[in-house]
Amino acid sequence: MPESLITNKTKINDLIVAQLVTNYDDRGSFTEVFRSAWFDFSQPIQWNIVNSNPGTFRGFHVHKLHADYLTIANGECRFFLKDLRKDSSTFLQEEEIIIKAEQMQGIYIPPGVAHAFYFPVPSIHVYSVTEYWNLADELGFNFQESQLGFNLQQYQLKVSLRDESLGSLDSLLAELAL
């Protein structure tokens, strides 16, 4: 297993896309998806597995307190990311990253980077967080925000009522500035 981690360059500071190594033999495969030595952040304290039907859209969410680390175990995810950290040199920078299960990648999303997930096919993702769920840290903005540079209209989105009713990006930025 690799002691070090190969990562892809991203547009957003501190956002990491990790190239995971899969080992194969006649029984199947094995992939080490996380090693604490790879990342300089608090230890994950909770792991979750999420099944998503085709067309599922989750987000835009942002957390002031916790980081997320995700990998796609089955299927595909389009990650839409926007840096909302006012002290970051990539403040308001956007990026779309596609991860497919067969690529075996992990993505680390630091606190303050807004994220949304779109699953075009049935998918399973596994993720960890560095803090327990806390309603005060479950922030977000509406995915139909005019300030977004992503073309989400091209997709038939299945969106939760919570995500449909989120406020504007400007309101969230004002809340984050407090």
Side-chain angles (χ1 to χ4, degrees):
M1 290 296 107
E3 292 290 329
S4 61
L5 186 65
I6 298 170
T7 60
N8 295 344
K9 180 77 174 128
T10 64
K11 295 177 186 175
I12 298 174
N13 287 343
D14 308 317
L15 179 72
I16 299 170
V17 177
Q19 294 297 127
L20 305 174
V21 175
T22 300
N23 296 288
Y24 299 93
D25 66 19
D26 60 349
R27 299 168 296 162
S29 66
F30 174 84
T31 305
E32 187 175 43
V33 297
F34 179 85
R35 187 180 279 224
S36 61
W38 292 343
F39 303 100
D40 185 26
F41 67 98
S42 302
Q43 292 293 321
I45 62 168
Q46 180 177 326
W47 288 87
N48 306 295
I49 297 174
V50 180
N51 287 283
S52 295
N53 295 325
T56 296
F57 183 84
R58 302 178 189 278
F60 277 87
H61 304 150
V62 67
H63 313 285
K64 295 185 287 187
L65 303 177
H66 81 254
D68 296 274
Y69 176 77
L70 301 93
T71 189
I72 304 302
N74 187 42
E76 174 183 334
C77 182
R78 292 177 180 269
F79 293 89
F80 301 97
L81 304 129
K82 188 172 186 82
D83 191 351
L84 302 184
R85 301 169 297 170
K86 289 193 186 234
D87 60 345
S88 171
S89 65
T90 56
F91 177 60
L92 298 181
Q93 178 71 49
E94 296 180 341
E95 186 161 9
E96 179 179 350
I97 296 171
I98 301 170
I99 295 180
K100 298 177 181 182
E102 59 269 14
Q103 293 172 328
M104 292 312 304
Q105 294 176 304
I107 184 168
Y108 168 75
I109 303 170
V113 174
H115 46 278
F117 314 135
Y118 172 69
F119 301 93
V121 298
S123 300
I124 298 172
H125 76 275
V126 178
Y127 75 101
S128 67
V129 293
T130 57
E131 298 287 332
Y132 289 116
W133 186 86
N134 175 350
L135 182 59
D137 196 35
E138 289 296 317
L139 306 171
F141 63 89
N142 195 288
F143 69 98
Q144 298 176 53
E145 179 67 50
S146 63
Q147 296 181 51
L148 286 173
F150 305 113
N151 181 12
L152 299 175
Q153 296 77 18
Q154 66 181 311
Y155 305 113
Q156 296 284 348
L157 303 179
K158 295 178 185 174
V159 182
S160 72
L161 291 175
R162 174 187 175 247
D163 288 346
E164 281 184 341
S165 63
L166 288 171
S168 72
L169 176 58
D170 286 338
S171 295
L172 176 61
L173 288 171
E175 182 179 346
L176 290 172
L178 297 177

